Amino acid sequence: MEDLLSQMTTQEKANQTVTLYGYGRVLKDEQPTAAWDNEIWKHGLANIDEMLNSLAYNKSAKSSFSYPFSRHAVALNNVQKWFIEHTRLGIPVDFTNEGIHGLNHDRATPLPAPINIGSTWNTKLVRGAGEIVGREAKYLGYTNVYAPILDVSRDPRWGRVVETYGENPFHIAEMGKQAVLGIQQNGVASTLKHYAVYSVPKGGRDGNARTDPHVGFREMHELHLYPFKRVVKEAKPMGIMSSYNDYDGVPVSSSKYFLQDLLRKDYGFEGYIVSDSEALEFISSKHHVAVDYKDAIRQALAGGLNVRTNFDPPSTYLTPLMELINEGGLDMNILDQRVREVLTVKFKLGLFDHPLVDNTTLADKKIHTQADEDISCK
């Protein structure tokens, strides 16, 4: 780990703190092209999200590489091979994807909404559902699943209640723990979301109201943080997604208290933290606690955020980040630590030893089986 970090240029380190959204989202190519040698990701990337999942609601993401499943695995292997063979140090990417009610792929096994899953009170069934999601991710080539959601639903007006397990923190922790264990038993990472105190915006509104939840300090810890604390301590997820909101005037995505003091020091989290899409930008554009975007980047990395995610090219983040570094506005020790935490997860996932799907033909036998469909319909 330290040997690899010592060999990295500043640009290569910076690139390990950004996401590239996959084909049809931001990326224009389904497979590597010669032009990639001139793209910013020639220096590597932290992760690629939703690559070739052929989302039904996003026509631009429709891809012939999503199915048969073995074809998808080969396609992701080709992308991974490019990063291994065409970047200077060959650092593999982490292929991320959503998975709160089945893996976010057009033909993976669909599962009920989390609020329905939670209503079963069946931890064994939830463990099985997590196993399905993790297994299908593994055979398709994904290495990190954005699930489960541990937000506590206390206001039915909030539009994302359907994505949660319910209103009881203990119940949510029990369900979430089994989901993580099921996903990660397949050798892929589970990323919890949305950390933290996200599910209680003023008046149940979302969008531009994603600021300053009116939650007392004790209520925050006993209700909204309880599931995260339990699941991090007991299931050891390798990922956390930071939320859009602030707490007491400080954006969570740049909060040392939430991202370091609580998450890493108190709960013992050892993975990496990715921002919800555009959460970093909100530090300056919505919460207005940074003088500009560059300052928002500085605050986020200093606060403990590892990877910035947004629906635009990585260069829109990497250009101001490199300017910030060259101006002396960011302590290099901070950047090194953020990158170290990302690389740690990649090592734990075995990406440096086994970066590719070994037997791509197995995907056709291991994904969306009849047994999986039976569990989905229970």
Side-chain angles (χ1 to χ4, degrees):
M1 165 71 69
E2 295 306 313
D3 180 59
L4 176 59
L5 194 62
S6 69
Q7 297 178 55
M8 297 174 71
T9 66
T10 301
Q11 183 70 66
E12 288 167 341
K13 291 176 182 178
N15 278 44
Q16 291 299 316
T17 69
V18 70
T19 293
L20 169 64
Y21 265 105
Y23 174 69
R25 290 290 209 172
V26 172
L27 188 59
K28 305 297 184 184
D29 308 307
E30 295 176 275
Q31 293 285 268
T33 70
W36 282 26
D37 289 327
N38 298 315
E39 294 284 359
I40 191 67
W41 50 86
K42 67 183 179 182
H43 302 290
L45 288 169
N47 53 35
I48 300 178
D49 195 31
E50 298 186 4
M51 184 61 174
L52 302 176
N53 56 0
S54 207
L55 293 178
Y57 62 81
N58 181 11
K59 292 182 180 180
S60 65
K62 186 68 176 177
S63 171
S64 64
F65 288 100
S66 69
Y67 188 82
F69 299 125
S70 55
R71 180 170 167 81
H72 184 282
V74 169
L76 258 60
N77 273 356
N78 291 339
V79 176
Q80 189 71 281
K81 284 178 183 176
W82 186 91
F83 281 90
I84 295 168
E85 297 172 0
H86 287 251
T87 62
R88 189 178 70 91
L89 293 175
I91 299 174
V93 296
D94 186 14
F95 285 110
T96 59
N97 201 1
E98 300 285 345
I100 64 170
H101 53 89
L103 191 69
N104 194 25
H105 178 279
D106 68 336
R107 309 221 187 181
T109 304
L111 297 172
I115 195 69
N116 294 33
I117 294 174
S119 69
T120 67
W121 292 75
N122 187 331
T123 53
K124 183 178 180 180
L125 190 62
V126 174
R127 176 66 177 262
E131 190 279 329
I132 291 172
V133 172
R135 168 170 39 85
E136 295 189 338
K138 182 72 172 181
Y139 281 102
L140 281 169
Y142 298 109
T143 50
N144 191 329
V145 178
Y146 289 162
I149 287 178
L150 301 186
D151 297 317
V152 179
S153 295
R154 285 298 175 111
D155 189 338
R157 296 174 298 179
W158 186 51
R160 302 185 74 172
V161 169
V162 69
E163 299 179 13
T164 73
Y165 288 131
E167 65 180 5
N168 185 286
F170 179 82
H171 174 230
I172 294 167
E174 291 293 306
M175 292 287 179
K177 175 182 176 181
Q178 295 306 317
V180 171
L181 292 173
I183 291 169
Q184 294 198 160
Q185 77 181 58
N186 294 279
V188 301
S190 168
T191 292
L192 309 180
K193 53 186 189 174
H194 306 88
Y195 181 82
V197 205
Y198 172 60
S199 58
V200 281
K202 297 189 202 70
R205 294 169 293 179
D206 222 11
N208 290 330
R210 285 178 177 151
T211 56
D212 196 16
H214 291 175
V215 177
F217 188 76
R218 180 176 177 180
E219 180 183 357
M220 174 183 74
H221 279 275
E222 293 188 355
L223 295 183
H224 297 280
L225 292 179
Y226 175 87
F228 288 96
K229 183 176 183 178
R230 280 275 318 280
V231 174
V232 169
K233 283 180 173 288
E234 297 174 20
K236 303 297 182 184
M238 285 187 261
I240 291 283
M241 181 179 290
S242 68
S243 55
Y244 291 119
N245 57 285
D246 61 0
Y247 182 79
D248 196 24
V250 179
V252 171
S253 293
S254 63
S255 170
K256 181 178 179 293
Y257 176 71
F258 280 102
L259 304 186
Q260 296 187 61
D261 296 345
L262 288 180
L263 192 55
R264 294 196 183 276
K265 295 178 183 177
D266 187 0
Y267 304 171
F269 177 67
E270 296 179 346
Y272 77 79
I273 305 165
V274 60
S275 71
D276 207 343
S277 299
E278 205 175 351
L280 188 153
E281 284 74 7
F282 285 171
I283 296 169
S284 56
S285 67
K286 182 170 291 187
H287 301 299
H288 303 293
V289 297
V291 296
D292 54 24
Y293 182 36
K294 197 182 298 184
D295 187 41
I297 294 172
R298 179 192 62 79
Q299 290 188 30
L301 291 174
L305 185 72
N306 295 98
V307 177
R308 173 268 194 180
T309 301
N310 200 359
F311 294 101
D312 58 18
S315 58
T316 62
Y317 160 84
L318 290 171
T319 298
L321 171 56
M322 289 301 294
E323 290 175 358
L324 180 69
I325 293 170
N326 292 332
E327 295 164 359
L330 180 69
D331 186 337
M332 284 301 296
N333 290 323
I334 291 174
L335 180 63
D336 284 352
Q337 183 58 24
R338 299 294 88 82
V339 174
R340 184 179 289 114
E341 290 156 353
V342 172
L343 295 178
T344 295
V345 171
K346 293 185 177 184
F347 274 108
K348 285 183 176 180
L349 290 172
L351 291 179
F352 287 92
D353 297 316
H354 301 286
L356 307 177
V357 177
D358 291 330
N359 188 343
T360 57
T361 60
L362 283 177
D364 295 326
K365 300 177 181 179
K366 297 290 187 177
I367 300 170
H368 207 154
T369 66
Q370 185 59 53
D372 297 334
E373 186 69 17
D374 292 344
I375 291 176
S376 177
C377 295
K378 278 189 177 180

